[in-house]
Amino acid sequence: MCGLAGVARLDGQDLGPEFDALLNDFADLLHHRGPDERELLRSGPVGLAFTRLSLVNPQDGTQPLVSDDGNLVLIANGEVYNHKELAAGLPSDVRLKTGSDCEVLLYLYRQHGLDFLRDVRGMFAIVLWDRARGQLVLARDRFGIKPLYYHRTDERIVLSSEIKGLFADPATPRRFAWDKALALPALAAAPRFSAEQMCTWFEGVESVPAASVLRVDLRDGRTTEHRYWELPTEADESTSAEGFIERYGDLLEASIRDCATADSELGLFLSGGIDSSIVLALARTQVEDIHTFTVLSGGTHANGDAEHASWLSRLWGVHNHQVLFEPDLTPTPEEWRRLVWLTESPMVGPEVYYKHELHRFARQVRPELRGMLLGAASDEFNGGYSDGMSDDWPSFLAGLTGMNRTTHFDRLPGLRHWWGEDESFLSDDALDSLGRTRSADVYASYVLSEYRKIQQYNVWHEDRTAAGSGVEARVPFLDHRIVELTSSIPEHLRPRLLWDKRILRDAVGSRLPQRIAERPKGPFFYGSGTHHAYGMLVRLMNGNRQELVERALAAPGADAYLDAGAIRRRLSDFADGTSDSPSVELLTRIINMGLLAEMVTSAPQLESMNAGTVRSELRVQSDPVADTQQLFEPRRSHDLDGVPVSAKGLLLLSHDSGDWYLANDGQIEFVLEPDSPIVRVLQRIDGTATLATVLSEARVELTAVEEELDTLVDQRLILFVA
């Protein structure tokens, strides 16, 4: 991983020495991305700044890289996994001068022009200066794993791996893009397919598109865009289900082998789910003495992640660091501001915080560690979310159809009136006939949406949380060959291969214990442990007299878009620091927007902001469940004289089958058996009777329902008043 930055004149003029200070500022702002080395170059119309993190060939990989004839100059961030194979195919007169995996790109460009990335496997952002043609070539990998942003005027263009680097240039606007941000459905967690255009969150800042090459003429600024890769749309009808499974396993094994290749120490984030576990299974034979890192929080205790990660690491004899996030943990306002500024996105929540802290811990205990293997971005393309969204494949497709229709309604709002709550009076084909294109293959539309989503959220935060600690994140599941394979599965095989990510389970099941291979898909912190993470956010926003909230509300533009009174009132509902309402996360994103709007005006350096104390490790002795039970689920002594009160939106519903449902704010939280003692207790809670009275009337002993009461109290579904 490295930091790239640069400036180039677009009017045919050369850069003067006055730009040297700007290049130095670029390197300072991107030091965390490349703490091992820095190089500056100013020549003619181009100035480049490069900061290096050494993973491959640490002794011989200095950039900029220059072609043998001096006409091509390159700086690159990332890894070209098949560089040896590509080098073998170069013309016989080419002699590579370094061991850098990126040097081959110079000669691929000279040989193939804008198609030079067609056969490249890896993750990369590239700035290439073609001296002979007077052009600047900017490019990114197929999934945008490595970032590259720019701002341009009529006279010049500035470039940077991170948006904050652009603010070293006085010509770059320092304003948060409230209009664009608030219009993005993903920010509000709206059930829509992802937007076509990336949102960079700041005015005047653009992102080099993934899977694309931009060519900028340095004499007049003319720019062309060449897209070198698209998601496949044609089904492969010639391959059987078994053939797809075999090819998937082979490609995944090859990708993990590529990602596990480095001349520096690599670690691995281990959740105990199938994705990170198969990466470990295949990488541990290649990476000597690998260390794994696991979040140990109330959420991962409740959903079993911490337990499964510990069990698997003991089974295989690998190091597993269970990084502790105590139940009352609350970041300080300054720590949160730094995290938001590091990530440059309002979509910062518990997941981003946990991963950032995991990287910090890893670098502290393993100072030589430079890369981290991840199981991220598996679910998006192999049906990983299908089981959690519906009961079977047809109902999953029905849900996608509804999301697709709603997405089109946003563009043609007048049509919405013809669809009622339970019935529609127009066909979905009406969306086509009225001038909007609707894909006949809703699953293909969903995959395209996921492709856009990972760029806006997943790879964005994975890059920044790792970069903040001088670590490179590696994502084997984002090998384009794997995604091409799953995207080409024909419709009739999708239920067999993509329901509950069967293609992955069947492809790697023999390499994993069945306990892991067939473990159901589980959320990182949502579910039974959600209140732990949301409680942290509530305490954060309410902390220090709501410092973060007041700073956000005072930020430039906030008064025009935010209802300060409504925000403060909603926070008062969460005053005791516990909640499992999704509005907590949405409210956090609103506050994050204000923080970005405030910080961009001064563009602070990360080094000047306090990141706080690095998390500690809990040494699990033998049984992680027992070792952490008292920490995260202390047994409470219920006051029999206390009065249990149901949460405001709590409803106990019955069904003809005899089952009972406990719903909160319209969402079913629990399914209860007809004869369950807790049902009889819930039926008698009226907000006036003591717990002793309720138990007596229900003819239930406290011990019979104590565990269920603990859960309901933890999730704020039942409250006790004196």
Side-chain angles (χ1 to χ4, degrees):
M1 185 196 67
C2 305
L4 313 180
V7 57
R9 295 289 296 256
L10 302 179
D11 54 5
Q13 303 298 309
D14 287 348
L15 294 174
E18 66 273 15
F19 283 91
D20 290 344
L22 177 60
L23 294 175
N24 270 296
D25 289 344
F26 282 150
D28 288 343
L29 289 167
L30 297 178
H31 173 76
H32 58 282
R33 294 188 69 88
D36 296 335
E37 186 180 346
R38 66 189 279 169
E39 295 289 338
L40 306 178
L41 169 71
R42 179 177 55 83
S43 177
V46 173
L48 301 175
F50 175 77
T51 64
R52 185 185 185 205
L53 180 76
S54 305
L55 277 89
V56 176
N57 197 32
Q59 306 305 319
D60 186 24
T62 297
Q63 299 187 29
L65 298 163
V66 183
S67 62
D68 50 15
D69 59 7
N71 284 334
L72 303 177
V73 181
L74 173 82
I75 56 175
N77 170 27
E79 306 289 340
V80 176
Y81 295 130
N82 62 332
H83 63 100
K84 293 181 180 179
E85 172 188 328
L86 294 169
L90 293 175
S92 58
D93 60 336
V94 172
R95 296 289 183 270
L96 299 181
K97 295 181 291 185
T98 76
S100 169
D101 56 291
C102 294
E103 187 182 2
V104 68
L105 298 173
L106 290 167
Y107 302 99
L108 290 174
Y109 173 78
R110 189 163 73 184
Q111 185 178 17
H112 301 294
L114 296 185
D115 279 329
F116 73 116
L117 298 174
R118 180 186 55 207
D119 298 321
V120 175
R121 294 201 314 271
M123 53 181 185
F124 45 82
I126 297 167
V127 179
L128 187 150
W129 176 24
D130 187 335
R131 292 177 187 263
R133 293 184 174 87
Q135 296 172 346
L136 201 64
V137 176
L138 314 174
R140 290 173 72 202
D141 62 73
R142 294 166 177 83
F143 299 95
I145 301 170
K146 290 302 169 191
L148 187 58
Y149 303 93
Y150 65 94
H151 169 72
R152 60 183 295 169
T153 66
D154 291 338
E155 294 182 350
R156 66 187 183 189
I157 183 172
V158 289
L159 316 158
S160 177
S161 291
E162 295 185 9
I163 297 170
K164 61 179 69 66
L166 300 178
F167 299 131
D169 173 36
T172 302
R174 295 189 176 196
R175 294 186 298 273
F176 185 75
W178 287 97
D179 288 349
K180 292 181 180 178
L182 291 169
L184 191 70
L187 187 62
R192 307 286 194 278
F193 283 169
S194 300
E196 295 180 17
Q197 298 298 320
M198 279 275 292
C199 179
T200 64
W201 311 113
F202 298 95
E203 293 183 11
V205 174
E206 297 183 67
S207 174
V208 175
S212 299
V213 179
L214 296 186
R215 181 172 58 187
V216 183
D217 194 303
L218 299 180
R219 292 161 294 196
D220 56 17
R222 285 183 301 173
T223 302
T224 58
E225 179 178 334
H226 171 72
R227 190 163 182 90
Y228 65 88
W229 185 80
E230 297 280 358
L231 272 172
T233 56
E234 186 173 342
D236 179 2
E237 299 285 356
S238 66
T239 303
S240 66
E242 291 69 25
F244 276 109
I245 292 168
E246 182 179 1
R247 287 169 58 193
Y248 188 100
D250 291 343
L251 289 173
L252 181 58
E253 184 172 356
S255 179
I256 294 172
R257 184 170 57 247
D258 286 343
C259 291
T261 301
D263 297 321
S264 301
E265 182 178 345
L266 299 177
L268 183 143
F269 281 0
L270 182 63
S271 71
I274 187 174
D275 303 328
S276 60
S277 296
I278 188 56
V279 177
L280 175 60
L282 298 174
R284 68 191 178 98
T285 61
Q286 185 173 338
V287 180
E288 184 178 354
D289 199 33
I290 191 169
H291 284 248
T292 66
F293 305 87
T294 300
V295 170
L296 177 56
S297 67
T300 62
H301 168 79
N303 67 20
D305 275 0
E307 175 193 359
H308 283 83
S310 178
W311 176 84
L312 186 65
S313 61
R314 293 198 308 274
L315 178 70
W316 284 343
V318 300
H319 304 279
N320 180 235
H321 303 273
Q322 299 254 332
V323 183
L324 180 62
F325 295 79
E326 300 88 344
D328 59 350
L329 170 66
T330 308
T332 67
E334 178 69 4
E335 291 166 10
W336 193 260
R337 288 177 72 247
R338 184 186 182 279
L339 178 59
V340 172
W341 186 240
L342 168 67
T343 57
E344 306 168 335
S345 168
M347 298 179 74
V348 176
E351 177 182 10
V352 177
Y353 174 71
Y354 292 145
K355 289 183 176 178
H356 172 255
E357 294 300 297
L358 221 56
H359 280 296
R360 294 180 65 218
F361 173 87
R363 276 305 299 271
Q364 182 182 63
V365 299
R366 305 296 300 172
E368 300 305 312
L369 185 147
R370 292 292 187 272
M372 192 69 71
L373 296 168
L374 308 176
S378 164
D379 294 312
E380 282 73 11
F381 301 111
N382 63 21
Y385 296 123
S386 59
D387 192 18
M389 293 173 62
S390 49
D391 296 327
D392 52 28
W393 186 260
S395 62
F396 173 58
L397 291 183
L400 296 184
T401 299
M403 287 179 62
N404 193 36
R405 183 186 304 135
T406 304
T407 303
H408 285 291
F409 284 161
D410 290 344
R411 301 169 185 160
L412 290 172
L415 286 182
R416 189 185 304 273
H417 306 303
W418 292 100
W419 270 264
E421 290 293 328
D422 301 313
E423 58 184 344
S424 60
F425 301 103
L426 300 181
S427 70
D428 285 342
D429 292 337
L431 298 176
D432 288 335
S433 63
L434 291 171
R436 298 288 181 176
T437 300
R438 179 180 61 84
S439 171
D441 186 346
V442 69
Y443 183 77
S445 296
Y446 165 74
V447 170
L448 179 59
S449 171
E450 293 296 283
Y451 173 68
R452 295 165 178 163
K453 185 205 76 175
I454 64 166
Q455 297 173 53
Q456 187 71 66
Y457 177 68
N458 301 71
V459 298
W460 185 311
H461 78 73
E462 299 289 10
D463 172 83
R464 300 304 196 284
T465 54
S469 295
V471 176
E472 177 178 88
R474 294 189 169 186
V475 280
F477 282 99
L478 284 185
D479 185 310
H480 70 276
R481 299 168 300 174
I482 296 175
V483 175
E484 288 173 351
L485 179 71
T486 56
S487 297
S488 67
I489 295 174
E491 289 190 46
H492 72 277
L493 289 181
R494 288 173 186 166
R496 162 70 178 89
L497 296 175
L498 297 175
W499 174 253
D500 190 27
K501 55 204 299 184
R502 256 345 306 169
I503 188 170
L504 172 62
R505 298 187 192 279
D506 291 351
V508 305
S510 62
R511 298 178 174 95
L512 292 171
Q514 187 172 6
R515 168 178 174 175
I516 302 295
E518 295 300 330
R519 187 183 172 204
K521 163 68 181 171
F524 184 19
F525 67 88
Y526 295 106
S528 58
T530 304
H531 63 285
H532 291 283
Y534 282 177
M536 177 187 72
L537 296 181
V538 170
R539 293 190 299 274
L540 170 70
M541 289 185 284
N542 276 322
N544 200 22
R545 298 184 179 181
Q546 298 187 350
E547 175 186 337
L548 286 183
V549 176
E550 296 307 318
R551 295 187 77 145
L553 294 177
D559 58 341
Y561 294 96
L562 303 183
D563 186 332
I567 290 172
R568 293 188 182 104
R569 286 192 299 273
R570 190 64 174 131
L571 269 175
S572 70
D573 294 340
F574 307 138
D576 62 354
T578 58
S579 175
D580 63 354
S581 170
S583 62
V584 172
E585 197 161 4
L586 298 183
L587 191 55
T588 304
R589 293 180 179 182
I590 289 174
I591 301 307
N592 291 342
M593 285 191 283
L595 296 178
L596 288 171
E598 175 212 30
M599 287 186 285
V600 71
T601 60
S602 59
Q605 287 198 3
L606 283 175
E607 289 74 11
S608 68
M609 306 178 79
N610 183 11
T613 304
V614 176
R615 308 306 316 147
S616 61
E617 178 180 4
L618 181 69
R619 299 285 183 177
V620 176
Q621 300 302 317
S622 57
D623 184 351
V625 177
D627 291 345
T628 58
Q629 185 79 32
Q630 187 60 30
L631 178 64
F632 294 114
E633 297 181 21
R635 301 301 299 174
R636 58 173 58 84
S637 177
H638 290 285
D639 182 5
L640 293 175
D641 293 328
V643 177
V645 178
S646 299
K648 186 177 180 181
L650 192 68
L651 291 174
L652 183 64
L653 308 172
S654 63
H655 190 269
D656 292 342
S657 64
D659 287 334
W660 289 82
Y661 300 90
L662 197 60
N664 185 41
D665 290 334
Q667 287 193 327
I668 294 177
E669 301 288 347
F670 297 99
V671 179
L672 307 173
E673 296 180 359
D675 298 329
S676 173
I678 192 66
V679 171
R680 302 203 301 274
V681 170
L682 291 171
Q683 288 173 327
R684 288 162 176 80
I685 292 178
D686 60 6
T688 62
T690 65
L691 178 59
T693 301
V694 169
L695 293 171
S696 175
E697 293 180 353
R699 297 183 180 180
V700 171
E701 294 292 331
L702 176 59
T703 54
V705 293
E706 193 167 14
E707 185 175 342
E708 288 92 340
L709 278 177
D710 285 349
T711 300
L712 295 174
V713 170
D714 285 342
Q715 298 194 24
R716 304 290 294 163
L717 300 178
I718 296 293
L719 310 175
F720 273 86
V721 297

